Structure formats: structure tokens, C-alpha cells
Amino acid sequence: MAAKIDLRRFPGFLGITLICLVVLYAPLIIVAVYSFNDSTSITNWGGATLNWYVDVFTGPESPKFQQAALNSLIIAVCAAGAATCIATAAAVAMTRAGRFRGKTLSFALINLPLMVPEVVTAVASLVFFSAIGFTNGLFTILIAHTVFCIPFAYLPISARMQSISDVYEQAAMDLYATPREAFTKVLLPLMMPGILSGSLLAFIISLDDFLITNFVKGAGVETLPTAIFGAVKQGIKPNIMAISTLMLGVSIVFVTLSWLVGRVGQNKQK
Amino acid sequence: MAAGAPMGAGTTSDIYKGDAARLMMPTWLIIGIFLLAPVIMMGVYSFLTKEFRGGVVWEFSFAAYDQFFFDRGLFGDDPPTLEWTYIGIFWRSIWQAGLATIMCLLIGFPTAWFIATRDPKSRSIWLFLITIPYWVNLLIRTVSMKFLIRDTGPLNEFLLAAGVIDTPLGLINTDFAVQLGLFYSYLPFMVLPIYAAVERYDFALSEAASDLYAGTWTILRLVIFPVVKPGIIAGCILVFVPSLGAFLAPDLLGGAKTFMIGSLIEEQFKGSAGNWPFGAAAAMILLTLVLVILLIYARAQNKVEDR
């Protein structure tokens, strides 16, 4: 009989997984380490310092980056909020309204932002806003972000909805709850983990966007990614690395939060 | 996504039967007006006449597509011959995206397999580790990669100091740097669907096949591959499609020689070229290409489900 190879333990797959993790993390870790580097030459190590972080908050370029960060935050909060509300309504329709006319089309429309390549969305938005003469930089970015955040908010919410049976709402209504009460007091709390992770996802996706923002932003309006992109074109300076490291930290906090929310949601189901 | 989580294959209830239109209205309006209408308008723009320094003149013209596909000489009155510049850029983008996809598959498949065969508790931690970088800002990841691999960057400094190389590797501004950047950007898109497919696979099947004297190769080919194939195809599409229109990796990691579709389009609107109809036409061609790929995929999926 031939020697049995346990397919679950392919030799070498652990090694490839580790290589995978090294490739994924090495650039980020190295930038984080070098952001503490006290040396004017970027690549030589000259001892640890927090100078570049001080520079981010008080240096000559700090007003520009702070304004950009504020813009990014405002847009991400508003776009994620709007997209989450829209996606929640859509998820209720898709899972609680039975079959209705245009359901397939609605599903396609929700997912359209995922199917259209980013650069095409960017061009289309630019053409559209300029054709209707709408050039308010911040507001055009907000609208564009809301659009592409909708599917990202929708995915976790609808996944959550599909696992909630409607017996709870039926029971509530049998006990004379109005439809509004059945929604706000029964369905909405059950949906909450999905809504939370959907909005976090939308928030991160909005913060992440560079290409579409770069196309639709008006003159003088910058978000953090467009400001960083502009600065990087002049060379990677230490203050950029400090900003990058701060954003890295923010992303990791958010992903961990969203992961924990997901786990709590799953444990509650059991 | 734990095994056996009650996903309920789309519980449909009709409590809100009459409210569908009201609930869907915001989605229809927002995506319809601010994405569907703009894409249609972009299609219209690709048939208009360009205005210098950006914008269009409302005059119907095939000029943009003509410029894309045909060369009519310096004064535009030579007999048309095929113009290879832009087709070449598209071809290079397809090639680059394809190589990045293959890299993702070669590294992503073993990784996904490894994770899916751990015990359920450590699985979620491995998956979490793989997905974290995806949530870090793409621009920052790409800039970090540029910092790491450039000629005076830490990678080259380290290798030089260690005596492994005498001159910097010269990685930056090459095709390989762009592939590496795309690989780095979209690797989790490959790992996650393959993981989902392998996780569903019941290893008792391969044990049964083995008891029936199937060799390892036969088991891989006839038992495992059919189960894992949908995951591989989904992963390849999820990596290939965004790579095709990517802008940041080619722009930051590649040089002038590694020009891709994304940069070509960007230059028409933001850069010096300033030819809106041509940019719109290039975007339409990219969109058509992507939609064709997705359509073929969807039809293949339906065929599998019909069986």
C-alpha cells in the first residue's frame, strides 16, 4: 500500500503561509519603525525619537494635514452613516418583503459599485458633476463616497438579516405591537451587530479611498489620502511615515473592534 | 463565518410586503442618479468632441475611439492603420494583472489551504492576521512597499550590508514592482474565497478515495479540485478585475515604462493630456472588458447551479 500522505498537513504550506504574512506585514512594520528614526537621512538608523510625531501635530505642514484629516473624518462619518441607513432599508426590503417587482434589478443595483472598476466610477462621477455644474468639493466627495459605501454596508447587514427568523416580529405583532414597535423594538436590536459592522466597514472603505476622491474633489479640498499622495510625489519624508503609522494604528483599532463586534454577535446567536 | 453558523439560505419573509418600493427607493435614487446615470453620461461623453484644456464640445464624433484604435498619421489624412499604443497599454495591463493574479494564486492557495485545515479556533486568528493589512489604507500600503524596495530603501541597504548583493537590486520602477504591489494590494481577495471552499470540503472524502486505492495525485485531481475550483475562480476574478484598473501600484511603484490603463485614463482628466472624450472612451472599453469577464463568470456559475 502506498504511503499515506495526510492532505491536511501538506509539507511546506506552513512555510508559504509564513512568507505570506511576512510579505504582508514587513512594509508596514518597517515604515512604523522608521517613523521613530532620529536621522535626517531616512534609511540610516540614528536612534529613536518622537520628533516626527511632534512635527505632524505642530510642524509647518501640520495645518494642511490636520484640515485634510478633518475632511476625511467628516466625509467618512457622514458617508458611512448615510450608506448604513440606505443599506439597512434595502436589506429589510430584500429579506422581509417577499418577492417584489424589480427585486433582481435592485440586487444588481446595490452591487453595481462593486462591479464597476474604481477608475471608471471616478471618471463617471467627474463627468457627471461637471456636466450639472456641481463643484462643491467636499459635498461631491461625500456623495461619491456614499454611493460606493452602500454595498459594503449592505453585505454584513443582509448576512445578519438572513439568519434572523421573522418569528420574533410575528410574536411581537401577535401581542399587539404596532409595526413600528415591531421594527424598532424587535427587529432593529436583532440587526444591530450587522448594522454596526456594516457601518464600520463603510467607514474604513471611505477613509481608504484615493482614486475617486482625487477625481471629484474641488480645487483646494484635500482628504488625508490625497494630501499624502501629493506629499509623496515630492519624496517619502519622515512626517509622512509618522502619519502613515498613525493611520495604521487607527485601522487596526477599527478592524479589531469590528471583529469583536462580529464575535459578540455570533456568540449571542448560540 | 464559523462552520455551521446559521446562515439560513436566504430566509424570505413578507412582513413588509407592501413596503418594498418605499424601502428600496433611497438605494434606487442614490445609486441610480449618482452611479448609473454618470456611467451612461460617460458613455455619451466618449462620443463627443474634445475641448482643449479639459471638457467637451457637444458635437457627435467617433474621434475618441478612432484615436484609440487607428493611426491616421500626423495630419490625420493618411489611410488608417491599427494604432498599437493604447491597445498595447491595455494588453500590458491585462498581462500585469494576470501575473499578479498568478502570484496571488501560488501564494494564496497554500495559505488558504493551511488556514482551512487548522482547528476552528486558530482558523479565525489566522484569517484575522491575513485580513488586517487589507484594512490598512491602500495608499499607505503602497507607499510602504515603495519605501521598502526602492534603491536606497531598507531592503537594499540590508542586503548590501549583509554582503548578499553588491549593487542595489533595482526593483523599483519595474514590471515586477507593479506586480508585487498588486499582489500586495489584493492577496486577501484570493485567500478568502479559496479558504471558504476548502473549509466546506469534507476530508473523509479523500480518506474514502484513499481506501479505494486512489493515489494522492488522483485524489487531488478528481476529488478535491472540483470542490475547490469555484473558490479558485472567484479568487482569480476578485484579484484580476481590480488589478486591471488599478492606479496606485502602477503609478507609485512603476515607472514610465509600466504605464497601465488606470494611469492612461487618469492622465486624460488630471494630467497634461486633457482629452475627456478619449479618457471616457478608454474607461468605456475597460468597463466593457470587466463586464464581459463578470458575465462569463456569472453564466458559468449558473450552469454549475443548474446541474
Side-chain angles (χ1 to χ4, degrees):
Chain A
M1 192 170 174
K4 262 197 182 178
I5 295 179
D6 185 356
L7 290 172
R8 265 167 276 198
R9 305 207 177 275
F10 262 118
F13 276 20
L14 171 64
I16 294 177
T17 307
L18 293 179
I19 291 175
C20 190
L21 288 178
V22 168
V23 172
L24 287 177
Y25 283 91
L28 299 173
I29 291 171
I30 284 178
V31 163
V33 168
Y34 274 92
S35 72
F36 294 103
N37 183 11
D38 188 10
S39 162
T40 41
S41 139
I42 295 187
T43 41
N44 292 320
W45 186 254
T49 179
L50 285 174
N51 282 350
W52 306 118
Y53 289 87
V54 175
D55 185 66
V56 167
F57 290 103
T58 59
E61 285 187 310
S62 63
K64 188 179 87 185
F65 282 117
Q66 278 167 14
Q67 184 58 48
L70 188 65
N71 286 346
S72 273
L73 202 65
I74 291 171
I75 290 165
V77 168
C78 296
T84 307
C85 294
I86 295 167
T88 304
V92 171
M94 296 302 278
T95 55
R96 283 290 190 276
R99 293 176 159 274
F100 58 88
R101 270 184 69 196
K103 190 170 182 178
T104 321
L105 200 69
S106 300
F107 188 70
L109 209 58
I110 294 169
N111 288 299
L112 191 64
L114 296 179
M115 291 188 281
V116 177
E118 215 187 338
V119 66
V120 175
T121 306
V123 168
S125 306
L126 172 67
V127 162
F128 178 76
F129 285 131
S130 84
I132 61 171
F134 188 57
T135 51
N136 179 333
L138 212 56
F139 210 66
T140 50
I141 302 175
L142 177 57
I143 291 175
H145 279 217
T146 304
V147 170
F148 68 71
C149 282
I150 289 173
F152 287 98
Y154 176 81
L155 287 173
I157 298 174
S158 81
R160 173 81 194 169
M161 286 286 289
Q162 285 179 355
S163 67
I164 306 172
S165 158
D166 68 350
V167 291
Y168 306 107
E169 293 151 88
Q170 301 281 16
M173 289 203 264
D174 286 347
L175 297 166
Y176 301 106
T178 61
R180 174 185 285 268
E181 283 170 331
F183 178 73
T184 54
K185 296 209 168 132
V186 180
L187 183 57
L188 209 54
L190 284 168
M191 287 169 74
M192 222 16 126
I195 292 176
L196 266 179
S197 47
S199 56
L200 282 174
L201 201 58
F203 180 81
I204 298 180
I205 292 290
S206 165
L207 273 190
D208 188 65
D209 181 72
F210 164 75
L211 195 54
I212 294 171
T213 312
N214 193 39
F215 268 73
V216 301
K217 77 188 173 75
V221 181
E222 300 279 357
T223 63
L224 211 40
T226 62
I228 292 175
F229 184 80
V232 166
K233 284 283 162 182
Q234 324 287 326
I236 305 174
K237 297 201 192 83
N239 63 337
I240 296 296
M241 289 198 277
I243 294 176
S244 301
T245 309
L246 289 172
M247 285 183 79
L248 178 71
V250 171
S251 308
I252 289 177
V253 167
F254 264 92
V255 183
T256 314
L257 268 182
S258 135
W259 192 59
L260 290 177
V261 168
R263 286 197 110 187
V264 170
Q266 269 182 6
N267 288 343
K268 267 191 189 161
Q269 267 176 17
K270 285 170 196 165
Chain B
M1 284 262 238
M7 282 297 285
T11 48
T12 43
S13 155
D14 46 14
I15 292 184
Y16 294 94
K17 183 116 192 105
D19 300 322
R22 214 149 46 89
L23 289 165
M24 284 310 299
M25 195 52 77
T27 310
W28 289 339
L29 285 180
I30 295 285
I31 298 186
I33 296 175
F34 294 111
L35 185 60
L36 198 57
V39 167
I40 293 168
M41 190 170 262
M42 182 184 81
V44 173
Y45 264 50
S46 71
F47 290 106
L48 295 179
T49 307
K50 79 165 174 175
E51 187 167 21
F52 290 99
R53 285 198 245 148
V56 288
V57 181
W58 281 84
E59 239 168 70
F60 180 83
S61 152
F62 273 118
Y65 292 94
D66 193 79
Q67 182 188 346
F68 191 94
F69 289 108
F70 299 109
D71 179 16
R72 291 175 191 273
L74 199 54
F75 303 104
D77 48 7
D78 292 358
T81 51
L82 262 186
E83 162 71 66
W84 289 107
T85 316
Y86 307 114
I87 299 173
I89 290 173
F90 266 65
W91 177 244
R92 184 184 313 121
S93 304
I94 293 171
W95 182 244
Q96 292 278 66
L99 285 177
T101 307
I102 291 170
M103 277 169 74
C104 282
L105 184 60
L106 288 180
I107 300 278
F109 183 84
T111 305
W113 185 278
F114 175 80
I115 295 174
T117 50
R118 296 306 95 188
D119 61 284
K121 258 193 184 160
S122 49
R123 260 183 232 168
S124 71
I125 294 172
W126 281 104
L127 269 186
F128 185 54
L129 282 175
I130 292 285
T131 42
I132 284 181
Y134 174 68
W135 297 116
V136 176
N137 196 295
L138 180 61
L139 172 63
I140 285 177
R141 279 188 291 156
T142 314
V143 170
S144 304
M145 186 57 97
K146 184 185 172 91
F147 177 72
L148 178 64
I149 66 170
R150 63 185 184 167
D151 286 349
T152 54
L155 181 67
N156 278 309
E157 300 262 311
F158 174 75
L159 291 176
L160 283 171
V164 182
I165 52 171
D166 297 326
T167 49
L169 289 171
L171 278 174
I172 199 78
N173 297 345
T174 61
D175 282 355
F176 179 71
V178 176
Q179 290 151 24
L180 191 66
L182 293 173
F183 162 80
Y184 186 44
S185 306
Y186 303 119
L187 179 67
F189 288 171
M190 182 66 84
V191 174
L192 293 177
I194 297 180
Y195 163 82
V198 177
E199 197 214 19
R200 272 197 302 269
Y201 178 71
D202 183 356
F203 277 89
L205 288 176
S206 44
E207 273 158 34
S210 171
D211 289 343
L212 297 166
Y213 303 103
T216 308
W217 177 241
T218 316
I219 295 175
L220 274 179
R221 197 165 48 91
L222 294 179
V223 184
I224 297 179
F225 183 67
V227 182
V228 183
K229 198 171 89 178
I232 294 179
I233 295 175
C236 288
I237 287 183
L238 286 175
V239 173
F240 184 77
V241 166
S243 296
L244 200 56
F247 171 74
L248 283 174
D251 189 77
L252 289 172
L253 299 170
K257 273 193 281 177
T258 53
F259 214 62
M260 280 173 63
I261 302 175
S263 313
L264 174 71
I265 295 174
E266 202 252 9
E267 198 170 65
Q268 307 307 321
F269 293 93
K270 293 268 139 188
S272 49
N275 186 341
W276 284 31
F278 182 70
M284 283 303 283
I285 295 168
L286 172 63
L287 180 63
T288 312
L289 203 63
V290 166
L291 290 184
V292 166
I293 294 172
L294 292 179
L295 210 67
I296 293 173
Y297 173 65
R299 291 194 68 170
Q301 284 292 91
N302 284 343
K303 255 185 207 161
V304 171
E305 273 160 29
D306 285 347
R307 252 186 242 161

